[in-house]
Amino acid sequence: MNRLEKKLREKKKNFIGFLTGGDPSLEKLGLMVRALEDGGCDVIEIGVPFSDPLADGPVIQSAGQRAIEKGVNLRSIFDEISKFRDEINIPLVFLIYYNSIYNYGVKEFIKRCEEVGIDGLIIPDLPYEEQDEMLEYLDQEKVALIPFATPTSNNRMAKTLSRGSGFVYTVSSLGVTGRESDFYKDFEKYIEEVKKYSDIPVAVGFGISSSEDVKKIYEYVDNVIVGTAIVKKINETNGDYEEVKNYIKKLLN
């Protein structure tokens, strides 16, 4: 069992927060990670900015574009995380597109993840059939490859979840991140299907933006992911530690 999965099994309900690396600035990345941890996050996803993010909605796309325009890239995010990782106690996960990994070099990327202390990888554009090169170098006890499940996974569900570890990233609705609480109509049945094919923790994300949404999701699974709402708050406050921390606490109330 890797550190990420172990952390999610320590307590009944867990909150996973997302932020975009380098927004509002690379220098504030450590401050924002601390704000999320101090606000009550159990795991933090760091989105690596990419020019063509297929799973991200407008808010996260804009955050990524702002970061790219300031020169933020995978290498600089690694370097920045290495400055504060020893001060952060909870697991850190990358949400990253495969093109960034490929350009960095797969073997070198995984080695750097282990050095810096990245506990898991969410790669939305890496299908099951293309995972072999990653798995050749990946020790999932150190860095988990987090699988995706969507309402349209259907007969691919068993295959998609068979190689995953850490947790299952379960999408609550069709489309991209940031939809307005438009949960899949057969949500309960869908979650039962996910749990049938995997015994690792299940987390639900996409379209969760309020404490009411969080409570609703906790009725079905133990782990909730909030991204767009947090990225929006970070942008509105220009990365103010107290305001972001208190916003996380409000989501958990």
Side-chain angles (χ1 to χ4, degrees), residues 111-156:
K111 180 182 177 185
R112 189 65 174 140
C113 284
E114 293 177 358
E115 289 173 349
V116 169
I118 298 299
D119 298 288
L121 301 172
I122 302 165
I123 312 173
D125 58 346
L126 183 64
Y128 173 88
E129 290 80 2
E130 305 295 332
Q131 292 176 353
D132 287 351
E133 186 175 5
M134 287 288 297
L135 292 170
E136 180 181 350
Y137 302 112
L138 198 64
D139 179 352
Q140 294 211 59
E141 290 298 310
K142 296 178 180 175
V143 183
L145 183 60
I146 297 163
F148 257 108
T150 75
T152 57
S153 292
N154 299 324
N155 58 358
R156 284 181 56 84

Short mmCIF file of all heavy atoms in Angstrom, two decimals, residues 111-156:
data_model
loop_
_atom_site.label_atom_id
_atom_site.label_comp_id
_atom_site.label_asym_id
_atom_site.label_seq_id
_atom_site.Cartn_x
_atom_site.Cartn_y
_atom_site.Cartn_z
N LYS A 111 11.64 9.48 -11.87
CA LYS A 111 12.73 9.62 -10.89
C LYS A 111 12.63 10.93 -10.13
O LYS A 111 12.79 10.97 -8.91
CB LYS A 111 14.08 9.55 -11.63
CG LYS A 111 15.29 9.67 -10.72
CD LYS A 111 16.58 9.65 -11.55
CE LYS A 111 17.79 9.86 -10.63
NZ LYS A 111 19.04 9.96 -11.43
N ARG A 112 12.30 12.01 -10.86
CA ARG A 112 12.18 13.33 -10.23
C ARG A 112 10.97 13.38 -9.28
O ARG A 112 11.04 14.02 -8.22
CB ARG A 112 12.07 14.40 -11.30
CG ARG A 112 12.16 15.82 -10.78
CD ARG A 112 13.50 16.14 -10.20
NE ARG A 112 13.63 17.55 -9.83
CZ ARG A 112 14.23 17.98 -8.72
NH1 ARG A 112 14.78 17.11 -7.89
NH2 ARG A 112 14.31 19.27 -8.45
N CYS A 113 9.87 12.71 -9.67
CA CYS A 113 8.70 12.64 -8.78
C CYS A 113 9.09 12.01 -7.44
O CYS A 113 8.70 12.49 -6.37
CB CYS A 113 7.58 11.82 -9.42
SG CYS A 113 6.66 12.67 -10.73
N GLU A 114 9.85 10.92 -7.51
CA GLU A 114 10.27 10.24 -6.28
C GLU A 114 11.20 11.13 -5.46
O GLU A 114 11.11 11.18 -4.23
CB GLU A 114 10.96 8.92 -6.63
CG GLU A 114 10.02 7.89 -7.25
CD GLU A 114 10.76 6.63 -7.66
OE1 GLU A 114 12.00 6.56 -7.50
OE2 GLU A 114 10.10 5.70 -8.17
N GLU A 115 12.11 11.83 -6.12
CA GLU A 115 13.06 12.70 -5.41
C GLU A 115 12.34 13.84 -4.70
O GLU A 115 12.65 14.18 -3.56
CB GLU A 115 14.07 13.29 -6.41
CG GLU A 115 15.06 12.30 -6.97
CD GLU A 115 15.92 12.89 -8.08
OE1 GLU A 115 15.61 14.01 -8.57
OE2 GLU A 115 16.88 12.23 -8.48
N VAL A 116 11.36 14.42 -5.38
CA VAL A 116 10.68 15.61 -4.85
C VAL A 116 9.60 15.24 -3.83
O VAL A 116 9.29 16.03 -2.94
CB VAL A 116 10.08 16.43 -6.02
CG1 VAL A 116 9.15 17.51 -5.53
CG2 VAL A 116 11.21 17.01 -6.86
N GLY A 117 9.04 14.03 -3.95
CA GLY A 117 8.00 13.61 -3.03
C GLY A 117 6.60 13.75 -3.58
O GLY A 117 5.66 14.09 -2.86
N ILE A 118 6.44 13.46 -4.88
CA ILE A 118 5.11 13.40 -5.48
C ILE A 118 4.58 11.98 -5.28
O ILE A 118 5.24 11.00 -5.63
CB ILE A 118 5.17 13.74 -6.99
CG1 ILE A 118 5.67 15.18 -7.18
CG2 ILE A 118 3.79 13.55 -7.64
CD1 ILE A 118 4.81 16.25 -6.56
N ASP A 119 3.37 11.88 -4.72
CA ASP A 119 2.86 10.57 -4.31
C ASP A 119 1.95 9.91 -5.33
O ASP A 119 1.64 8.72 -5.20
CB ASP A 119 2.10 10.72 -2.99
CG ASP A 119 3.01 11.21 -1.88
OD1 ASP A 119 3.85 10.43 -1.41
OD2 ASP A 119 2.92 12.40 -1.51
N GLY A 120 1.47 10.67 -6.30
CA GLY A 120 0.56 10.07 -7.27
C GLY A 120 0.47 10.90 -8.54
O GLY A 120 0.83 12.08 -8.55
N LEU A 121 0.01 10.24 -9.60
CA LEU A 121 -0.12 10.88 -10.91
C LEU A 121 -1.52 10.66 -11.46
O LEU A 121 -1.98 9.52 -11.54
CB LEU A 121 0.91 10.30 -11.88
CG LEU A 121 2.38 10.44 -11.48
CD1 LEU A 121 3.25 9.64 -12.47
CD2 LEU A 121 2.81 11.90 -11.48
N ILE A 122 -2.16 11.75 -11.85
CA ILE A 122 -3.42 11.70 -12.58
C ILE A 122 -3.11 12.19 -13.99
O ILE A 122 -2.68 13.34 -14.17
CB ILE A 122 -4.48 12.60 -11.92
CG1 ILE A 122 -4.72 12.17 -10.47
CG2 ILE A 122 -5.79 12.57 -12.72
CD1 ILE A 122 -5.47 13.21 -9.65
N ILE A 123 -3.30 11.31 -14.98
CA ILE A 123 -2.92 11.65 -16.36
C ILE A 123 -4.15 11.44 -17.24
O ILE A 123 -4.39 10.33 -17.75
CB ILE A 123 -1.74 10.76 -16.83
CG1 ILE A 123 -0.63 10.74 -15.77
CG2 ILE A 123 -1.20 11.28 -18.17
CD1 ILE A 123 0.49 9.75 -16.08
N PRO A 124 -4.97 12.49 -17.43
CA PRO A 124 -6.26 12.30 -18.10
C PRO A 124 -6.17 11.78 -19.53
O PRO A 124 -7.10 11.14 -20.00
CB PRO A 124 -6.86 13.73 -18.09
CG PRO A 124 -6.15 14.43 -16.98
CD PRO A 124 -4.78 13.86 -16.96
N ASP A 125 -5.06 12.05 -20.22
CA ASP A 125 -4.98 11.66 -21.63
C ASP A 125 -4.11 10.43 -21.85
O ASP A 125 -3.64 10.19 -22.98
CB ASP A 125 -4.47 12.83 -22.48
CG ASP A 125 -3.10 13.32 -22.03
OD1 ASP A 125 -2.67 12.95 -20.93
OD2 ASP A 125 -2.47 14.08 -22.79
N LEU A 126 -3.90 9.63 -20.79
CA LEU A 126 -3.12 8.41 -20.94
C LEU A 126 -4.04 7.20 -20.78
O LEU A 126 -4.34 6.78 -19.66
CB LEU A 126 -2.00 8.34 -19.90
CG LEU A 126 -1.06 7.13 -20.01
CD1 LEU A 126 -0.28 7.17 -21.32
CD2 LEU A 126 -0.11 7.07 -18.81
N PRO A 127 -4.54 6.63 -21.88
CA PRO A 127 -5.45 5.49 -21.78
C PRO A 127 -4.70 4.23 -21.33
O PRO A 127 -3.47 4.14 -21.42
CB PRO A 127 -5.98 5.33 -23.21
CG PRO A 127 -4.92 5.92 -24.08
CD PRO A 127 -4.29 7.03 -23.29
N TYR A 128 -5.48 3.26 -20.90
CA TYR A 128 -4.93 1.98 -20.43
C TYR A 128 -3.93 1.39 -21.42
O TYR A 128 -2.86 0.92 -21.04
CB TYR A 128 -6.11 1.02 -20.20
CG TYR A 128 -5.70 -0.38 -19.87
CD1 TYR A 128 -5.47 -0.76 -18.55
CD2 TYR A 128 -5.55 -1.34 -20.88
CE1 TYR A 128 -5.09 -2.06 -18.25
CE2 TYR A 128 -5.17 -2.64 -20.58
CZ TYR A 128 -4.95 -2.99 -19.27
OH TYR A 128 -4.57 -4.27 -18.97
N GLU A 129 -4.28 1.43 -22.70
CA GLU A 129 -3.46 0.77 -23.72
C GLU A 129 -2.09 1.43 -23.91
O GLU A 129 -1.20 0.85 -24.52
CB GLU A 129 -4.20 0.76 -25.07
CG GLU A 129 -5.41 -0.15 -25.12
CD GLU A 129 -6.65 0.44 -24.47
OE1 GLU A 129 -6.56 1.61 -24.02
OE2 GLU A 129 -7.67 -0.23 -24.42
N GLU A 130 -1.92 2.65 -23.40
CA GLU A 130 -0.66 3.38 -23.58
C GLU A 130 0.14 3.50 -22.29
O GLU A 130 1.07 4.30 -22.20
CB GLU A 130 -0.96 4.79 -24.13
CG GLU A 130 -1.77 4.80 -25.42
CD GLU A 130 -1.03 4.17 -26.59
OE1 GLU A 130 0.21 4.21 -26.59
OE2 GLU A 130 -1.70 3.61 -27.49
N GLN A 131 -0.21 2.74 -21.27
CA GLN A 131 0.43 2.90 -19.95
C GLN A 131 1.72 2.10 -19.78
O GLN A 131 2.44 2.29 -18.80
CB GLN A 131 -0.55 2.50 -18.85
CG GLN A 131 -1.72 3.45 -18.70
CD GLN A 131 -2.72 2.95 -17.67
OE1 GLN A 131 -2.60 1.84 -17.16
NE2 GLN A 131 -3.69 3.79 -17.35
N ASP A 132 2.03 1.21 -20.71
CA ASP A 132 3.15 0.29 -20.48
C ASP A 132 4.47 0.99 -20.23
O ASP A 132 5.25 0.58 -19.36
CB ASP A 132 3.29 -0.66 -21.68
CG ASP A 132 2.18 -1.70 -21.73
OD1 ASP A 132 1.42 -1.79 -20.74
OD2 ASP A 132 2.07 -2.40 -22.74
N GLU A 133 4.77 2.04 -20.99
CA GLU A 133 6.05 2.71 -20.81
C GLU A 133 6.15 3.34 -19.42
O GLU A 133 7.21 3.30 -18.78
CB GLU A 133 6.26 3.78 -21.88
CG GLU A 133 7.66 4.40 -21.81
CD GLU A 133 7.93 5.38 -22.92
OE1 GLU A 133 7.01 5.66 -23.72
OE2 GLU A 133 9.07 5.89 -22.99
N MET A 134 5.03 3.92 -18.97
CA MET A 134 5.03 4.49 -17.62
C MET A 134 5.26 3.40 -16.58
O MET A 134 6.07 3.54 -15.66
CB MET A 134 3.68 5.17 -17.33
CG MET A 134 3.44 6.47 -18.04
SD MET A 134 4.43 7.83 -17.38
CE MET A 134 3.81 7.95 -15.72
N LEU A 135 4.53 2.29 -16.73
CA LEU A 135 4.58 1.24 -15.73
C LEU A 135 5.93 0.53 -15.69
O LEU A 135 6.31 -0.06 -14.68
CB LEU A 135 3.46 0.22 -15.98
CG LEU A 135 2.05 0.78 -15.72
CD1 LEU A 135 0.99 -0.17 -16.23
CD2 LEU A 135 1.86 1.05 -14.23
N GLU A 136 6.67 0.61 -16.79
CA GLU A 136 8.00 0.00 -16.83
C GLU A 136 8.93 0.63 -15.78
O GLU A 136 9.78 -0.04 -15.20
CB GLU A 136 8.61 0.19 -18.22
CG GLU A 136 10.00 -0.39 -18.37
CD GLU A 136 10.58 -0.17 -19.76
OE1 GLU A 136 9.83 0.27 -20.66
OE2 GLU A 136 11.78 -0.43 -19.95
N TYR A 137 8.73 1.90 -15.52
CA TYR A 137 9.61 2.61 -14.59
C TYR A 137 8.95 2.92 -13.25
O TYR A 137 9.62 3.32 -12.29
CB TYR A 137 10.06 3.93 -15.21
CG TYR A 137 10.77 3.77 -16.54
CD1 TYR A 137 10.20 4.22 -17.72
CD2 TYR A 137 12.03 3.15 -16.61
CE1 TYR A 137 10.85 4.07 -18.94
CE2 TYR A 137 12.68 3.00 -17.82
CZ TYR A 137 12.09 3.46 -18.98
OH TYR A 137 12.73 3.30 -20.17
N LEU A 138 7.62 2.77 -13.20
CA LEU A 138 6.88 3.25 -12.04
C LEU A 138 6.78 2.21 -10.94
O LEU A 138 6.26 1.11 -11.15
CB LEU A 138 5.46 3.65 -12.50
CG LEU A 138 4.65 4.54 -11.58
CD1 LEU A 138 5.32 5.90 -11.42
CD2 LEU A 138 3.24 4.72 -12.13
N ASP A 139 7.27 2.53 -9.74
CA ASP A 139 7.07 1.74 -8.55
C ASP A 139 5.87 2.35 -7.84
O ASP A 139 5.99 3.40 -7.20
CB ASP A 139 8.32 1.79 -7.66
CG ASP A 139 8.15 0.99 -6.38
OD1 ASP A 139 7.02 0.53 -6.11
OD2 ASP A 139 9.14 0.85 -5.64
N GLN A 140 4.72 1.69 -7.93
CA GLN A 140 3.50 2.29 -7.42
C GLN A 140 3.43 2.32 -5.89
O GLN A 140 2.51 2.90 -5.33
CB GLN A 140 2.27 1.61 -8.02
CG GLN A 140 2.15 1.84 -9.52
CD GLN A 140 0.70 1.88 -10.00
OE1 GLN A 140 -0.09 2.70 -9.56
NE2 GLN A 140 0.38 1.00 -10.91
N GLU A 141 4.38 1.71 -5.23
CA GLU A 141 4.48 1.90 -3.78
C GLU A 141 5.01 3.29 -3.46
O GLU A 141 4.79 3.82 -2.37
CB GLU A 141 5.40 0.84 -3.18
CG GLU A 141 4.82 -0.56 -3.19
CD GLU A 141 3.55 -0.66 -2.37
OE1 GLU A 141 3.54 -0.22 -1.21
OE2 GLU A 141 2.55 -1.18 -2.90
N LYS A 142 5.72 3.88 -4.43
CA LYS A 142 6.26 5.23 -4.23
C LYS A 142 5.41 6.29 -4.92
O LYS A 142 5.17 7.36 -4.38
CB LYS A 142 7.70 5.28 -4.76
CG LYS A 142 8.67 4.37 -4.02
CD LYS A 142 10.06 4.45 -4.64
CE LYS A 142 11.04 3.53 -3.91
NZ LYS A 142 12.37 3.50 -4.58
N VAL A 143 5.01 6.01 -6.16
CA VAL A 143 4.21 6.97 -6.93
C VAL A 143 3.03 6.20 -7.56
O VAL A 143 3.23 5.34 -8.42
CB VAL A 143 5.04 7.64 -8.04
CG1 VAL A 143 4.18 8.68 -8.77
CG2 VAL A 143 6.30 8.29 -7.48
N ALA A 144 1.83 6.53 -7.13
CA ALA A 144 0.65 5.82 -7.60
C ALA A 144 0.21 6.33 -8.96
O ALA A 144 0.27 7.54 -9.23
CB ALA A 144 -0.49 5.98 -6.60
N LEU A 145 -0.26 5.41 -9.81
CA LEU A 145 -0.88 5.80 -11.08
C LEU A 145 -2.39 5.74 -10.85
O LEU A 145 -2.98 4.66 -10.75
CB LEU A 145 -0.46 4.85 -12.20
CG LEU A 145 -1.00 5.19 -13.59
CD1 LEU A 145 -0.53 6.57 -14.03
CD2 LEU A 145 -0.55 4.14 -14.61
N ILE A 146 -2.99 6.90 -10.73
CA ILE A 146 -4.39 7.02 -10.31
C ILE A 146 -5.31 6.87 -11.53
O ILE A 146 -5.22 7.65 -12.48
CB ILE A 146 -4.61 8.37 -9.61
CG1 ILE A 146 -3.76 8.42 -8.34
CG2 ILE A 146 -6.09 8.58 -9.30
CD1 ILE A 146 -3.55 9.80 -7.79
N PRO A 147 -6.19 5.87 -11.52
CA PRO A 147 -7.06 5.64 -12.68
C PRO A 147 -8.29 6.53 -12.68
O PRO A 147 -8.74 6.99 -11.62
CB PRO A 147 -7.45 4.18 -12.51
CG PRO A 147 -7.46 3.96 -11.04
CD PRO A 147 -6.37 4.85 -10.48
N PHE A 148 -8.81 6.77 -13.88
CA PHE A 148 -10.03 7.54 -14.07
C PHE A 148 -11.21 6.61 -14.31
O PHE A 148 -11.09 5.61 -15.01
CB PHE A 148 -9.90 8.42 -15.33
CG PHE A 148 -9.61 9.86 -15.06
CD1 PHE A 148 -8.37 10.38 -15.32
CD2 PHE A 148 -10.60 10.70 -14.57
CE1 PHE A 148 -8.09 11.71 -15.09
CE2 PHE A 148 -10.34 12.03 -14.34
CZ PHE A 148 -9.08 12.54 -14.61
N ALA A 149 -12.35 6.96 -13.76
CA ALA A 149 -13.60 6.29 -14.11
C ALA A 149 -14.62 7.37 -14.46
O ALA A 149 -14.71 8.39 -13.76
CB ALA A 149 -14.11 5.44 -12.96
N THR A 150 -15.34 7.18 -15.54
CA THR A 150 -16.35 8.15 -15.95
C THR A 150 -17.68 7.45 -16.15
O THR A 150 -17.72 6.22 -16.29
CB THR A 150 -15.96 8.85 -17.27
OG1 THR A 150 -16.18 7.92 -18.35
CG2 THR A 150 -14.50 9.29 -17.27
N PRO A 151 -18.78 8.20 -16.20
CA PRO A 151 -20.09 7.57 -16.43
C PRO A 151 -20.17 6.81 -17.75
O PRO A 151 -21.07 6.01 -17.94
CB PRO A 151 -21.04 8.76 -16.42
CG PRO A 151 -20.37 9.78 -15.56
CD PRO A 151 -18.91 9.63 -15.88
N THR A 152 -19.24 7.08 -18.67
CA THR A 152 -19.27 6.38 -19.96
C THR A 152 -18.20 5.29 -20.08
O THR A 152 -17.97 4.77 -21.17
CB THR A 152 -19.08 7.39 -21.11
OG1 THR A 152 -17.85 8.09 -20.92
CG2 THR A 152 -20.22 8.39 -21.16
N SER A 153 -17.54 4.96 -18.96
CA SER A 153 -16.49 3.92 -19.01
C SER A 153 -17.06 2.57 -19.42
O SER A 153 -16.43 1.79 -20.14
CB SER A 153 -15.79 3.80 -17.66
OG SER A 153 -15.05 4.95 -17.37
N ASN A 154 -18.27 2.25 -18.94
CA ASN A 154 -19.01 1.03 -19.32
C ASN A 154 -18.12 -0.22 -19.33
O ASN A 154 -17.55 -0.56 -18.31
CB ASN A 154 -19.68 1.23 -20.69
CG ASN A 154 -20.67 2.37 -20.66
OD1 ASN A 154 -21.34 2.56 -19.65
ND2 ASN A 154 -20.76 3.12 -21.74
N ASN A 155 -17.97 -0.88 -20.50
CA ASN A 155 -17.25 -2.15 -20.52
C ASN A 155 -15.74 -2.00 -20.43
O ASN A 155 -15.02 -2.98 -20.44
CB ASN A 155 -17.62 -2.95 -21.78
CG ASN A 155 -17.33 -2.18 -23.05
OD1 ASN A 155 -16.88 -1.03 -22.97
ND2 ASN A 155 -17.55 -2.79 -24.20
N ARG A 156 -15.24 -0.76 -20.35
CA ARG A 156 -13.81 -0.54 -20.14
C ARG A 156 -13.47 -0.38 -18.66
O ARG A 156 -12.31 -0.26 -18.29
CB ARG A 156 -13.35 0.72 -20.89
CG ARG A 156 -13.20 0.53 -22.38
CD ARG A 156 -12.72 1.82 -23.04
NE ARG A 156 -11.47 2.33 -22.48
CZ ARG A 156 -10.27 1.91 -22.87
NH1 ARG A 156 -10.16 0.97 -23.80
NH2 ARG A 156 -9.17 2.43 -22.33
#
